[in-house]
Amino acid sequence: MLDLKEVAKNFEAVVARLKARGGTLDLSRFQELFAERKKLNVELEQNQARKNAAQEVMKDRSKITEELKAEMKALGAVIKEQEGKLKPIEEELSAQMMMVPNVPHESVPVGADEHGNTVEKIWGEKPTFLFTPKQHFEIGEKLGLLDFERGVKVSGPRFAFSKGALARLERALTAFMIDEHTKRGYTELLPPYLVSRASMTGTGQLPKFEEDAFKTVTGRELFLIPTAEVPVTNYHADEILEGPLPVKYVAFSPCFRAEAGAAGKDTRGLIRMHQFHKVEIVKFANPATSLAELDSLVEDAENILQKLGLHHRRVLLCTGDMGFASQKTFDLEVWLPGQNAFREISSCSNFSDFQARRAKIRFRSAPGEKPQLVHTLNGSGLAVGRTVVAILENYQREDGSVGLPEVLWPYMGGLKELVFAG
């Protein structure tokens, strides 16, 4: 959530930067409310000043007159009326603020959609094949390790079973990723997979994106997490961090998404599922260094891709392609030979104090100093299912088997390849 006072101070600049996000964002009511609020506040301040001046005069009893008493009474009534008008405006404005996205950082390029994004770095080379590479779902099904048919039978579309060595590969990747991140100073958390409405609101999923969430329908209202970002960020909700920053966490979790806005996209395969696994990295940073912390968070995610030998690129998202709560986002896109395209495997964002203001997360830079809002950051380190997709497609062989990156061999009990399961 944006700071109402800061928005008021730089209203035109903030609105211009928000409009750069494009899309269906409608700020007309937001602007109307701000104009009404400003007009009422000016009038209220003027009347309050008149009342204060009259009170000063009335301190001298000899100057109290019936006319002055009447003026004081009238001013009191006007002020009360104006405060009454201001209250619903403030309430509606607060509700509007919950639907207004974060202001993009000045370093974020202006653009309408993904075509306005900027490729900032490319790592590795595309693998070459002496045959036409297949897509991951063809490879997995042919090996007898990926079962979409039974996933649909048990749960419906966008669910699947991984079997045997492929199931172990997900487990191995998770352990490998967490080991790598803890080596880099992240503390491992195993978070709850169900969270409250307050937690979902704190990170910006609610109220705007409720249709994309799964929630319980009996008993106490709880939401299945769309990402470990939600419980891990809210781990410090309503707290003041006293120690040195950044505070860094890594967490594995299943993720649950209704994908309400993704009808018809990636209907085959593991790219867009209702349930998938992800390793999330989260930081709580000092505002003065949060942009540098974003760079290092991206490098932490890239480290996983590089150790797996996966060709990828770093992309700076433009204003029109950023997430709702983000101030600045880098996507890591991995090369998928079967699709002959780069696809997102990690999204790393700096949310500035947008989430911290909602979740009331503050820090003290030194003992005794006034607390201030922390900056929150997070990223996929990585999406486990999409990493499986990348390994299947990049390490596939003509005979249908799939080699495994050497760094995973110890995590696979020495298994070096995926072969037909029989």
Side-chain angles (χ1 to χ4, degrees), residues 120-123 176-177 180-186 248 281-283 289-308 310 312-315 329-333 345-350 377-382:
E120 296 220 329
K121 176 184 173 183
I122 296 176
W123 186 91
F176 166 68
M177 291 176 190
E180 286 297 312
H181 291 306
T182 53
K183 287 175 191 174
R184 289 175 170 242
Y186 290 84
K248 307 192 319 185
I281 45 179
V282 175
K283 287 186 181 184
T289 59
S290 68
L291 286 174
E293 292 295 344
L294 175 60
D295 290 337
S296 68
L297 184 137
V298 174
E299 289 168 5
D300 292 336
E302 285 178 318
N303 171 60
I304 303 295
L305 288 165
Q306 289 166 11
K307 291 203 168 181
L308 292 172
L310 294 170
H312 64 277
R313 65 186 186 182
R314 182 195 299 184
V315 178
T329 297
F330 290 99
D331 274 4
L332 298 180
E333 297 178 346
I345 197 167
S346 173
S347 192
C348 300
S349 299
N350 183 346
L377 304 89
N378 71 53
S380 307
L382 305 162

Side-chain angles (χ1 to χ4, degrees), residues 130-368:
L130 299 177
F131 59 95
T132 302
K134 294 181 172 60
Q135 294 198 54
H136 69 279
F137 48 84
E138 300 173 276
I139 300 164
E141 286 180 320
K142 206 160 191 177
L143 289 173
L145 300 175
L146 196 52
D147 194 329
F148 291 99
E149 187 177 334
R150 287 186 175 93
V152 172
K153 178 180 73 174
V154 170
S155 301
R158 298 189 190 272
F159 289 94
F161 280 93
S162 289
K163 181 180 174 183
L166 195 64
R168 181 165 188 168
L169 178 59
E170 284 227 10
R171 183 157 47 95
L173 280 166
T174 299
F176 166 68
M177 291 176 190
I178 290 174
D179 284 351
E180 286 297 312
H181 291 306
T182 53
K183 287 175 191 174
R184 289 175 170 242
Y186 290 84
T187 299
E188 183 179 358
L189 288 179
L190 186 60
Y193 304 152
L194 289 162
V195 294
S196 66
R197 177 173 287 272
S199 292
M200 291 282 280
T201 302
T203 46
Q205 277 76 22
L206 298 183
K208 191 171 179 63
F209 303 106
E210 189 159 348
E211 67 169 5
D212 290 323
F214 286 111
K215 64 179 175 179
T216 57
V217 293
T218 58
R220 182 160 62 97
E221 180 189 64
L222 290 169
F223 292 82
L224 287 162
I225 60 171
T227 162
E229 166 199 345
V230 179
V232 176
T233 301
N234 282 281
Y235 184 70
H236 288 300
D238 301 304
E239 292 183 16
I240 298 173
L241 301 174
E242 300 282 359
L245 296 177
V247 174
K248 307 192 319 185
Y249 296 109
V250 58
F252 160 78
S253 78
C255 304
F256 305 91
R257 298 184 187 178
E259 297 288 2
K265 292 184 180 180
D266 298 307
T267 52
R268 291 201 68 186
L270 299 172
I271 293 292
R272 201 178 292 272
M273 306 291 281
H274 288 314
Q275 175 189 311
F276 58 94
H277 294 136
K278 186 149 67 81
V279 171
E280 191 80 0
I281 45 179
V282 175
K283 287 186 181 184
F284 298 86
N286 189 307
T289 59
S290 68
L291 286 174
E293 292 295 344
L294 175 60
D295 290 337
S296 68
L297 184 137
V298 174
E299 289 168 5
D300 292 336
E302 285 178 318
N303 171 60
I304 303 295
L305 288 165
Q306 289 166 11
K307 291 203 168 181
L308 292 172
L310 294 170
H311 175 50
H312 64 277
R313 65 186 186 182
R314 182 195 299 184
V315 178
L316 174 60
L317 300 195
C318 69
T319 52
D321 200 31
M322 286 168 52
F324 175 79
S326 176
Q327 183 193 59
K328 184 174 184 177
T329 297
F330 290 99
D331 274 4
L332 298 180
E333 297 178 346
V334 68
W335 176 250
L336 298 182
Q339 293 191 24
N340 194 37
F342 284 101
R343 297 300 302 267
E344 179 204 328
I345 197 167
S346 173
S347 192
C348 300
S349 299
N350 183 346
F351 300 99
S352 64
D353 58 12
F354 190 86
Q355 293 179 327
R357 181 169 288 103
R358 287 174 173 235
K360 299 180 178 65
I361 309 169
R362 297 177 294 166
F363 77 102
R364 226 186 290 271
S365 56

Side-chain angles (χ1 to χ4, degrees), residues 58-69:
M58 290 180 75
K59 285 180 181 178
D60 183 349
R61 289 184 171 274
S62 65
K63 294 182 179 179
I64 297 176
T65 64
E66 290 302 317
E67 185 181 354
L68 192 57
K69 286 181 182 179

